[in-house]
């Protein structure tokens, strides 16, 4: 029985040793597996980070180009608005100046004609010149009561003072 007990103890020690050896082997295998998984995770993290960074750079570049394009378009629009406004203002100012010149010239002509008419009326004893008919021909008032004169009776006395 002693040999059986010794055998059992040996078996138990071998079993414990084998258990311990298997545990250490599993621990080493799991440790190796854990290291390789961590290395793969790090590599995967690097690839994902690089992909995200590249995507961010592309997106940033696209946004920068779009912003530049938008700024160019807005500045061109404002430049067009300013140029059109300046041209409209200059055109209106030119038209107003031209009309002012016409009005001033017409006013001067009217004043001269009024002075001339007053002078002629004064010299000719109140005879007034005007325009008559559809064609606006020059005409004067005549004294129909004074009668007609000349061989063909085509002359008449002017009405006046």
């Amino acid at each position: 029985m002693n040999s059986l007990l010794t055998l059992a103890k040996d078996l138990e020690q071998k079993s414990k040793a084998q258990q311990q050896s298997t545990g250490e082997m599993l621990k080493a295998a799991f440790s190796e597996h854990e290291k390789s998984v961590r290395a793969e995770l790090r590599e995967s993290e690097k690839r994902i980070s690089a992909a995200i960074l590249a995507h961010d750079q592309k997106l940033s570049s696209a946004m920068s180009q779009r912003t530049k394009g938008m700024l160019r378009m807005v500045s061109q629009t404002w430049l067009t608005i300013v140029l059109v406004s300046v041209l409209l203002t200059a055109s209106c100012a030119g038209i107003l100046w031209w009309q002012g010149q016409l009005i001033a010239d017409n006013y001067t002509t009217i004043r001269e004609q009024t002075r001339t008419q007053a002078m002629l009326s004064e010299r000719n004893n109140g005879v007034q010149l005007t325009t008559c008919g559809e064609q606006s021909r020059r005409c004067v008032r005549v004294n129909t009561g004074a009668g007609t004169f000349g061989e063909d009776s085509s002359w008449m006395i002017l009405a006046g003072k």
Side-chain angles (χ1 to χ4, degrees):
M1 214 67 165
N2 250 348
S3 82
L4 206 53
L5 192 57
T6 310
L7 190 62
K9 278 187 182 179
D10 280 344
L11 188 62
E12 186 181 351
Q13 281 180 355
K14 280 184 184 181
S15 177
K16 280 185 183 180
Q18 192 176 12
Q19 182 184 8
Q20 202 173 25
S21 157
T22 303
E24 285 176 11
M25 205 166 69
L26 279 175
K27 222 184 233 186
F30 277 126
S31 178
E32 253 333 285
H33 181 66
E34 186 179 343
K35 283 180 186 177
S36 78
V37 167
R38 281 188 183 161
E40 269 310 308
L41 284 175
R42 271 190 239 109
E43 286 299 316
S44 178
E45 178 187 12
K46 286 178 185 177
R47 285 192 305 270
I48 290 172
S49 292
I52 289 173
L53 183 61
H55 180 71
D56 282 349
Q57 287 175 346
K58 285 179 185 176
L59 187 62
S60 176
S61 174
M63 289 297 286
S64 175
Q65 288 176 350
R66 189 162 296 241
T67 302
K68 286 178 185 176
M70 188 76 96
L71 286 174
R72 188 178 309 120
M73 183 184 70
V74 167
S75 64
Q76 286 174 348
T77 302
W78 276 107
L79 181 62
T80 302
I81 289 170
V82 167
L83 286 177
V84 167
S85 298
V86 166
L87 287 175
L88 280 174
T89 303
S91 297
C92 288
I95 289 170
L96 286 174
W97 176 83
W98 178 68
Q99 285 183 339
Q101 291 298 316
L102 284 178
I103 290 170
D105 291 345
N106 289 342
Y107 181 71
T108 303
T109 303
I110 289 170
R111 280 185 28 214
E112 288 173 1
Q113 287 176 351
T114 303
R115 261 197 313 264
T116 303
Q117 183 181 11
M119 184 182 71
L120 287 173
S121 179
E122 194 177 301
R123 279 190 190 167
N124 295 320
N125 294 326
V127 173
Q128 293 184 348
L129 296 173
T130 186
T131 55
C132 300
E134 290 180 14
Q135 295 177 351
S136 297
R137 296 175 63 186
R138 291 284 189 182
C139 60
V140 294
R141 191 176 305 231
V142 294
N143 185 353
T144 54
T148 60
F149 300 93
E151 291 178 15
D152 58 356
S153 299
S154 61
W155 294 90
M156 298 182 85
I157 304 285
L158 295 173
K161 293 183 183 177

